[in-house]
Amino acid sequence: MRRWRLVLGGQGADGTGRSLSGADAAMDRTLEALYGARGGDGHGGSGTVAGRSGGPQGAASGARSGGLGGSAPQVARWLGDIRTYFPTSVVQVMQRDAIDRLGLSALLLEPEMLEAVEADVHLVGTLLSLNKAMPETTKNTARAVVRKVVADLEKRLATRTRATLTGALDRSTRIGRPRHRDIDWDRTIRANLKNYLPEHRTVVPERLIGYGRAARGVKKDVVLCVDQSGSMAASVVYASVFGAVLASMRSLATRLVVFDTSVVDLTDELDDPVDVLFGTQLGGGTDINRALAYCQSKITRPADTVVVLISDLYEGGIREEMLGRVAAMKASGVQFVTLLALSDEGAPSYDREHAAALAALGAPAFACTPDLFPEVMAAAIERRQLPIPDMAIHQ
């Protein structure tokens, strides 16, 4: 009954007959400030959330006064309160709801506010969208917040990505007619065990397996082409982190291109993903065709190139030319992958007609979580079937 009381918000008709005190009452006030009947009044909110509107706490009548008000100190206290009463995962959800319902984006431009929030990928996306409006006094604090999130993501993703792709690159360069010093004897013996001659106690190596002479150089070119429209904020964050990780691998030549209706090459910034992120400009239209034209112009080794388009495919450019460029790249030997999203946010919204058209060209379109991305890249490098999630519609 206590939990139902907290969910329903204390209306006289909630049926619980329960009043709150102490920590429960304080928790209820933090919920009411955001989800109550007036939680969005005057702040760009979206109205009442079902079950949390009505009279004073525990009373049967009278409107409860919700909302966080326009005072930054008051909002900062509220942000501290929710961290006191709820786990981090819930805090992040409530922060996103506060930004959406109460229009707190402007307050994020104040340094004391940024120091109070729980930083996550979604907050980074919001800060990037506010980048152009951000005063100089806030930019250093914002960069510190973004750097913390990026560092956490790199720590979680970098080691597995490098290990997975290093193995894929080694396997992709094995050749069938190696020079003597390039022979992989372990794999050669295993592959020829069927040719063992007992009388001579030896294996006849009919097939030699080795590594290519270019093993120490660049083996593959990777082009990440990332849609920076507003709906792709989380994907932009993850793509920037992965771009920096891939760029740190000597055997890969990585290029990062972001686009809306214009195209920006951020390859020179890849040594610092924070610089990459602040070089993006979330929002605006989408011209995938123009972005692919730029990427196509930078391809010099089609058979050794992997192009990853990260976009929801809502094209504002010329559809036929976009599809024609994908077909031309694939015909030249490029491995082309379309990710509708690179995030943990669940099923994305995307243009199904364009996704189906790309799938028909042999360029499957599917959403990808950050944890799956290394496996997708490894499969593309090795030119084997991509590990498309079971829930993918277009395969």
Side-chain angles (χ1 to χ4, degrees), residues 230-379:
S231 60
M232 302 295 292
S235 297
V236 170
V237 175
Y238 282 114
S240 299
V241 172
F242 277 118
V245 173
L246 298 180
S248 71
M249 301 177 65
R250 294 182 180 179
S251 50
L252 290 176
T254 304
R255 182 177 296 276
L256 177 63
V257 176
V258 298
F259 68 93
D260 41 36
T261 52
S262 60
V263 179
V264 180
D265 193 327
L266 295 175
T267 303
D268 292 340
E269 309 292 335
L270 276 176
D271 58 331
D272 188 345
V274 176
D275 286 342
V276 169
L277 288 170
F278 277 93
T280 63
Q281 184 174 345
L282 294 177
T286 307
D287 193 339
I288 302 172
N289 176 55
R290 186 174 182 180
L292 291 181
Y294 178 83
C295 294
Q296 192 176 19
S297 72
K298 298 299 180 180
I299 295 173
T300 57
R301 305 188 305 156
D304 293 314
T305 299
V306 178
V307 174
V308 182
L309 172 64
I310 303 175
S311 173
D312 54 16
L313 301 180
Y314 288 111
E315 171 65 319
I318 305 173
R319 176 182 187 273
E320 291 72 19
E321 286 191 13
M322 176 190 77
L323 297 175
R325 292 189 191 281
V326 175
M329 281 189 272
K330 286 191 62 64
S332 68
V334 171
Q335 287 290 95
F336 195 95
V337 180
T338 307
L339 301 182
L340 303 169
L342 178 57
S343 70
D344 290 309
E345 294 181 325
S349 171
Y350 63 96
D351 189 305
R352 294 175 180 271
E353 182 179 350
H354 288 161
L358 288 173
L361 293 174
F366 57 97
C368 177
T369 65
D371 289 337
L372 182 63
F373 184 76
E375 297 296 335
V376 170
M377 290 301 301

